């Protein structure tokens, strides 16, 4: 994680790298024009408590016609793979088990 942060810090590009969040409404689904049923592929959702956008199960069920996995986690955030690697890997494995 420090490597990633260092790249932005030493090249003075942190502001421009965050621009996508500003342009896309900070992760609000309505800013993307997402309609219920838009996603028809199998979907797994892990909601980490310190993530930028934390969709409710109800929103996911309306937006994904094939929601196979949904779980809210006790810890972790936007960089869950760095912050909680064991928990992150467990979520991926459990989600993909539902898609075999």
């Amino acid at each position: 994680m420090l490597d990633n942060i260092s790249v932005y810090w030493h090249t003075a590009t942190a502001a421009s790298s965050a621009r996508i969040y500003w342009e896309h409404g900070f992760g609000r689904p309505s800013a993307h024009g997402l309609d219920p049923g838009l996603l028809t592929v199998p979907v797994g959702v892990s909601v980490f408590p310190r993530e930028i956008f934390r969709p409710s199960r109800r929103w996911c069920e309306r937006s994904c016609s094939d929601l196979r996995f949904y779980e809210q986690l006790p810890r972790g955030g936007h960089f869950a793979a760095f912050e909680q690697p064991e928990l992150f890997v467990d979520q991926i494995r459990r989600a993909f088990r539902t898609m075999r």
Side-chain angles (χ1 to χ4, degrees):
M1 185 176 220
L2 289 177
D3 289 341
N4 289 345
I5 293 168
S6 294
V7 168
Y8 292 120
W9 181 265
H10 295 298
T11 60
T13 56
S16 62
S17 72
R19 182 177 177 180
I20 191 168
Y21 298 109
W22 176 260
E23 289 177 351
H24 290 286
F26 300 102
R28 287 188 318 269
S30 60
H32 300 286
L34 294 176
D35 295 323
L38 180 63
L39 295 176
T40 59
V41 297
V43 174
V45 177
S46 296
V47 181
F48 293 89
R50 292 188 332 265
E51 181 54 274
I52 294 169
F53 171 60
R54 294 177 304 277
S56 68
R57 183 177 188 100
R58 185 178 72 178
W59 184 88
C60 290
E61 288 170 345
R62 285 186 294 146
S63 301
C64 310
S65 63
D66 192 8
L67 182 65
R68 306 253 183 117
F69 181 85
Y70 179 92
E71 190 167 306
Q72 293 187 352
L73 289 300
R75 58 192 181 279
H78 189 64
F79 298 103
F82 292 122
E83 299 167 10
Q84 303 293 328
E86 296 85 12
L87 189 58
F88 183 79
V89 169
D90 179 62
Q91 289 293 291
I92 291 173
R93 288 178 177 159
R94 291 178 50 218
F96 275 97
R97 277 190 208 116
T98 67
M99 300 177 199
R100 287 185 186 174

